[in-house]
Amino acid sequence: MDKKVQSIKWLYLTVFLLPVLAMAQQKEPKKEKETTIDEVVLVGYTKVSKKDVTNAVSSVKADAIKDMPSTNAAEAIQGRMAGVQVSLSEGSPGADVDIVIRGGNSITGSNAPLYIVDGVQMDNALSILSPKEIESIEVLKDASSTSIFGARGANGVVLITTKGGRKKAKTSINYNGFLGVRKIQNTIDVLDPYQYVLYQYELYNKAGVLTDIEAFKTRYGTYDQLGKYKDVKKRDWQDEVFGREAFNFTHNLAITGGSDNSSFSLSLNNVQEDGIMIGSGFKRNMANFKYDYELSKKVSMTLNARYSRQTIFGAGTSSTGSQGNNRLRNAVRYQPFEGGSTVNVDDFDPLFANETNLVNPILLTNNEVKESGRNDLLLNGILEYKINKDFTFRSVIGYVQRDEFVNQFSGPITSLARQNNDQPVVFLSKTQSRRITNTNTLNFRKTLGNHKLDFLVGQEIVKTDAETLSMNVKWLPKSISAQEAFANIQSVSAPSGMIQDAPRTNVLPDRIASFFGRANYIFKNKYILTASMRADGSSVFGPGNRWGYFPAASVAWKVAEEEFLKDSKVISELKLRAGYGLSGNNRIGAFLYDTFFITSSDYGYAFGTNVTPGATTGNTMANPDVKWESSASKNIGMDFGLFKGKVYGTLDLYQTDTKDLLLLARIPQTSGYEYQYQNSGSTTNKGIEFSVGSTIINKNNFTWKIDANISSNKNTIKSLGNSASATANSYLYPSGWQNSLNDFLVQVGKPVGTYWGYVTAGRYEISDFDYNAATQVYTLKAGVPSSAAAANGAKAVQPGDLKLQDLNGDGIIDNKDMTDLGNAQPKFYGGFNQTFRYKNWDMSLMFNFSVGNKVYNANKIEYSTQYLYKDNNMLAEVANRWRWFDDAGNKVNDPTALAALNANTTGWTPPAGAYFLHSYAIEDGSFLRLNNVTIGYSLGKDFTKQLGLSNFRLYFTMNNVFTITGYSGYDPEANTRRNPLTPGVDYAAYPRSRFILSGVDITF
């Protein structure tokens, strides 16, 4: 095994497992024992004592995250729950958060879980919640728990409960605010000015073309003048673009209180955050009001109103598009010094842009302005009626509205504007979605001697409507600013014979009607049986396929309640669990079972001197037979407590089989279409999860607690149905960072996200060639396979060129030699958290880790390949490439002299052909990250009482403290393609930053 993987393993064992094992030898603490086994958790549509839970559920309570300052609730739970992977796609302000529960089940569909906030469905709910207002987060992981939610439950369910007030409590005001600064953590090493010009000298002079040789002299000087570049001022474009000290101001205000029969909570949150990249930032304002009122002893109600408004500024470094949308490339590859051209480096040079496909990164950043925002409104009411001591009726009605907008301006120097007469282009998009939810349940609870019964029946409707309007506005005046353009799109002036693109609209209605029931039976407080059934009808499927049925059952045995364990001094809690269930997924667009038309000038036709927009059915063929995707999950587990609760934990083993995948399949283009949604194929996820915690020391003045989890998941494609060829049972899929590069393999028997490319074999050496002294030509020896077609743009290979392995031994290196290069799936992952309290001081350390996953460093491919352009900077390692010119600037052809010249070089000549994937770019992404360190000090109670306060705490925090990894890019967790089929691709990701902050927490 790799040494880095081994070191991470041993560090994990040392920091976590050894203290836990050592703790078992300590004396019992004086304080009352602490154990999480007595917690009450939210499962389905009701609360259950954790002792009676029969399913696989992970939970995080408010106490666990209350001392961790963060602007994003997802960051606060990262690494805290077994089987739950939480990662940021990149480091930009407001970056998307990926939460995957027990591996991805879908191939082309979404793997995001279902979010339920205070009983109401929301999308990406953690992005609009402040960690300070969360009471609890429960994650339902197996189908025996998620099936009660049926629709969209196949990827897990995240149940979020927000804080409310307390009855009979005086009004309390809490303020928590912090000020912090972010700074880039690392940069990509590139050639310095002297190394850069030496490389350019080689490119311009190698072929001996006189015009190229003269062009080099004009731009950089003669060879004997190149020494001046050793003293030329270096322009560190990465530092200039990403080197800002980005400040963050965050304020949280909570007011709570209550009377004899009511309680209320008002929470406010304001975030103003700069990005480390110039022009980027994030703003958010949130307000949440929660009110509980007892109308009588039988009737109570809860009212909740939440509003969030957030805006992300900056176009970032890339989108899910290809090189044309890459802004990081300009910061890495632009010439690293001033001069070298008749145009000042800080001015736009159109000739240089055309010759190099590069623009001054600062000018480009200021010419690409983007504002994207969303407003979220949630209104919900809960009415609970206790009919008698056994029956309770509960009704929840919710309304969720989301308004999103994107305003993007591409100034005159951008590639998009240069394609449109050098005139600015504006993209505008607006989307509104509205969801109404109504859930009604009747709950019966009764205890009869040794029998405890709990029955629930319910009905639910979810009505969703959404509309999107988008438009590209071209040919704006060159002098117009971004804000002027957003407000004055009518100022366009189209060239003669051209028209604007027609606006595009999209309407997405979605209706779900559901009926469900659950029965829970406990005998002698030892044996538990839970069974549930849900029927969902969804409008996204055609008539005859709309209803899906999702049964589930689970059992549990409280072994610790048996006589043979009641007096055990070691085992204080022990429960065995087993469950099986079905859950569903309907995450496809509306009306895919029928044919609809869209209009656009892209499908226009000439009429006279103008172009008239046309209509088309698009590239996705209707399928009236598409139906529910379903997942069957099997789970066995164990909950335990040892040494009177000093150690507690859970162990789960599971298998989830997903069939009838909602797959966006490629179909023969003879059909007139390119894709069709089909129920095609199946996947399986098998895994094991282990979590453990302990209060190692629990004295009056000092406590030390530790919680940790580790998980392993293996994903396998079982079938691809009609999507793969009958012979290969597989197909290739492009990541999209470079056009027409099929760099992922989708194949039965392999995991989703398998990298597909060549195996790097170093470089061609002198010994691989025959040399003709008369013509000074190197020719490959017979039997030495040539990588010319794959790696060199079909040009004959020369000494020093990149060499690839001829895997099939046919003497030719082509796509038949491509192979499986690994995948983004880790062997195991998890996290561990330690908290310390000494008198009035507190400290917490939060780690997360991943071992065995591979990362596709696409930046590495791009920044070490010449491709079509000269005058592009390269990775610093290119300085160690094969040399053709000696220290006097003379080309060396003689084999002996050339071998001596390269005796100490190890790199290859950057390929001049198209980009392609080879194993050089597939790196070990294993890491151990210290995500958070927080140190706090609370004033003593006597002193705070004199100040009229109940709490006063000062704290200092550092996020993203350090990362131990062998990965050479910005961040081993980068995942920029936003597609389940292409995970683990690091291409032009916004660099991750370190965040240092200090704050205060005051309660009046």
Side-chain angles (χ1 to χ4, degrees), residues 408-410 416 420 424-429 469-476 489 492 499-504 600-602:
Q408 186 158 1
F409 173 82
S410 299
L416 182 58
N420 289 276
V425 178
V426 162
F427 173 77
L428 302 174
S429 173
L469 170 65
S470 62
M471 63 180 73
N472 270 311
V473 182
K474 300 181 287 189
W475 305 305
L476 288 154
I489 59 175
V492 299
I499 63 169
Q500 288 290 342
D501 292 343
R504 295 190 177 187
S600 172
S601 59
D602 292 341

Side-chain angles (χ1 to χ4, degrees), residues 37 90 94 96 159 221 386 428 473 497 510 557 629 650 653 680 682 689 745 788 795 812 858 989:
I37 204 83
E90 56 179 359
D96 291 329
L159 305 174
K386 296 180 180 178
L428 302 174
V473 182
D510 191 342
W557 175 27
E629 176 184 301
T650 64
L653 291 87
S680 183
S682 61
E689 301 165 353
L745 173 69
K795 299 175 184 177
I812 301 173

Side-chain angles (χ1 to χ4, degrees), residues 374-387:
R374 53 185 269 200
N375 301 330
D376 290 273
L377 173 67
L378 181 148
L379 304 171
N380 76 301
I382 302 172
L383 179 68
E384 189 167 286
Y385 174 38
K386 296 180 180 178
I387 302 172

Side-chain angles (χ1 to χ4, degrees), residues 616-744:
T616 181
T617 55
N619 63 353
T620 303
M621 185 178 181
N623 184 358
D625 298 321
V626 69
K627 61 180 181 180
W628 284 88
E629 176 184 301
S630 64
S631 294
S633 174
K634 292 171 278 190
N635 190 97
I636 58 173
M638 174 180 68
D639 302 327
F640 62 88
L642 306 175
F643 310 110
K644 297 184 179 181
K646 287 192 290 184
V647 178
Y648 50 85
T650 64
L651 174 67
D652 280 279
L653 291 87
Y654 64 87
Q655 178 173 327
T656 301
D657 297 296
T658 303
K659 65 178 183 177
D660 296 327
L661 285 172
L662 291 171
L663 193 68
L664 184 59
R666 291 182 180 271
I667 59 177
Q669 294 189 359
T670 53
S671 64
Y673 299 87
E674 190 174 358
Y675 300 99
Q676 184 187 49
Y677 269 99
Q678 300 174 353
N679 291 106
S680 183
S682 61
T683 62
T684 185
N685 283 281
K686 299 178 182 179
I688 182 171
E689 301 165 353
F690 178 63
S691 62
V692 63
S694 172
T695 302
I696 299 176
I697 299 176
N698 193 15
K699 304 294 185 180
N700 288 329
N701 289 328
F702 181 64
T703 61
W704 176 17
K705 296 181 181 180
I706 188 168
D707 287 281
N709 65 84
I710 186 170
S711 305
S712 178
N713 180 81
K714 183 179 181 180
N715 168 267
T716 307
I717 300 172
K718 303 293 289 184
S719 169
L720 288 170
N722 299 326
S723 301
S725 65
T727 54
N729 210 17
S730 65
Y731 63 90
L732 299 178
Y733 192 87
S735 64
W737 76 266
Q738 203 279 332
N739 294 330
S740 304
L741 179 60
N742 289 313
D743 43 5
F744 277 84

Side-chain angles (χ1 to χ4, degrees), residues 1-14 827-828 850-852 924 926-928 964:
M1 184 178 289
D2 190 285
K3 290 183 178 180
K4 298 185 185 71
V5 175
Q6 287 279 24
S7 61
I8 290 177
K9 272 188 170 183
W10 283 111
L11 184 57
Y12 175 75
L13 288 169
T14 303
K827 291 184 173 67
F828 56 87
S850 177
V851 175
D924 181 9
S926 302
F927 69 88
L928 173 66
I964 300 175

Side-chain angles (χ1 to χ4, degrees), residues 361-397:
I362 296 188
L363 294 179
L364 181 66
T365 301
N366 291 328
N367 260 254
E368 291 186 311
V369 178
K370 184 178 180 181
E371 300 172 357
S372 56
R374 53 185 269 200
N375 301 330
D376 290 273
L377 173 67
L378 181 148
L379 304 171
N380 76 301
I382 302 172
L383 179 68
E384 189 167 286
Y385 174 38
K386 296 180 180 178
I387 302 172
N388 55 38
K389 64 178 182 178
D390 301 324
F391 286 94
T392 301
F393 172 78
R394 180 181 173 91
S395 180
V396 180
I397 185 167

Side-chain angles (χ1 to χ4, degrees), residues 60-112:
V60 173
K61 301 299 184 182
D63 286 347
I65 59 177
K66 67 181 178 65
D67 291 337
M68 180 178 176
S70 175
T71 58
N72 190 314
E75 290 184 44
I77 65 171
Q78 191 173 33
R80 292 183 182 271
M81 292 183 280
V84 181
Q85 289 177 280
V86 180
S87 58
L88 295 175
S89 59
E90 56 179 359
S92 61
D96 291 329
V97 177
D98 293 316
I99 296 183
V100 178
I101 299 171
R102 290 187 166 182
N105 296 315
S106 295
I107 293 181
T108 59
S110 171
N111 283 306

